[in-house]
Each structure stands twice: as C-alpha cells, then as structure tokens.
Amino acid sequence: MLSLVIVIITLSILVTRVATVALTLTLTGLSRESAKFQARSAFSGAGFTTTESEDVVNHPIRRRVIMSLMLIGNAGDSVIIYGRSFCLGELVKRKKGPQGERMRQEALARQAEAVAAQERMLRG
C-alpha cells in the first residue's frame, strides 16, 4: 500500500512539472511561478478563480493543458479509490466465518458507494 502511495505522489509531481513546462515554454507567456500554481490547482481540482486563471482559460494552448490536467487528476482519484478498495478486499478475504462475510458485504457496499461518487463527480 505504501509503495502505491509513493508511486502516485511521484507521478503527480511529474505530471504537474511537465504541465508547468508546457505552460511556460509553449509561447504562452505565463511566468514559471504562475504556471506552477495553475498546474497544481488544475491537477488537484482546487478551482481557484483569479485573473491569472482567467488568462489561462482565455488562451487555447493553456486551456488544453489545463483540461488535460483536470482529467488526469480525476483519473488519479479513481485509481486511489480502486487501490484502497482492493487492499480492503484482500484484507477481508483473509477473515473466515460470519464476521468475514459481513465485512465482505460492507466492503462491497463501500466500494459501490465510492464508484458512484466518482461517477457523479466526473459527470457534474
């Protein structure tokens, strides 16, 4: 589980750094600090509204980079939910008897809830 967290954090940092470079070096004229902030904001789904974010949205190349970051960030959330559900499922499989069966049912219900919440978030 810890290795999964380390991989996810490493990939998150890598994605936001690549996006920062894309926002600064693709002739968009955005400063490095502003690009870094906007990339992290879009990747995490924080949704800050500033004049800088309006500048990002009004530029076609920047908008494309930011939209990609939003999608990748949401996909990362799905992977985290799946990973936690999978680990919990493996833990529950080791339990035997009626208590283990109840735990399995509860884990399946939580997993279904998490998937439904993720689908609502992606639609809305």
Side-chain angles (χ1 to χ4, degrees):
M1 181 68 176
L2 181 61
S3 61
L4 177 64
V5 171
I6 292 171
V7 167
I8 289 171
I9 289 172
T10 304
L11 285 174
S12 298
I13 291 169
L14 180 66
V15 165
T16 56
R17 285 195 178 169
V18 167
T20 300
V21 170
L23 286 171
T24 55
L25 295 182
T26 56
L27 303 173
T28 64
L30 202 59
S31 72
R32 183 164 177 73
E33 286 301 312
S34 178
K36 187 188 301 185
F37 178 80
Q38 294 300 327
R40 287 184 183 163
S41 174
F43 185 74
S44 65
F48 287 102
T49 304
T50 62
T51 52
E52 287 177 352
S53 62
E54 289 175 14
D55 291 341
V56 169
V57 173
N58 291 330
H59 193 283
I61 296 172
R62 292 178 191 165
R63 186 172 47 244
R64 199 172 312 137
V65 170
I66 292 297
M67 284 191 318
S68 298
L69 281 172
M70 290 173 167
L71 289 173
I72 293 169
N74 281 328
D77 291 344
S78 300
V79 169
I80 290 170
I81 290 170
Y82 172 77
R84 289 184 66 198
S85 299
F86 180 78
C87 290
L88 181 62
E90 290 299 312
L91 253 171
V92 169
K93 283 181 185 177
R94 295 182 189 151
K95 292 274 187 183
K96 302 289 182 198
Q99 183 183 10
E101 183 58 34
R102 190 186 82 237
M103 286 178 70
R104 276 189 285 285
Q105 294 300 323
E106 289 172 358
L108 286 173
R110 279 194 299 273
Q111 185 175 8
E113 257 178 50
V115 168
Q118 185 68 28
E119 287 176 352
R120 282 191 306 272
M121 186 172 69
L122 288 174
R123 278 190 228 131

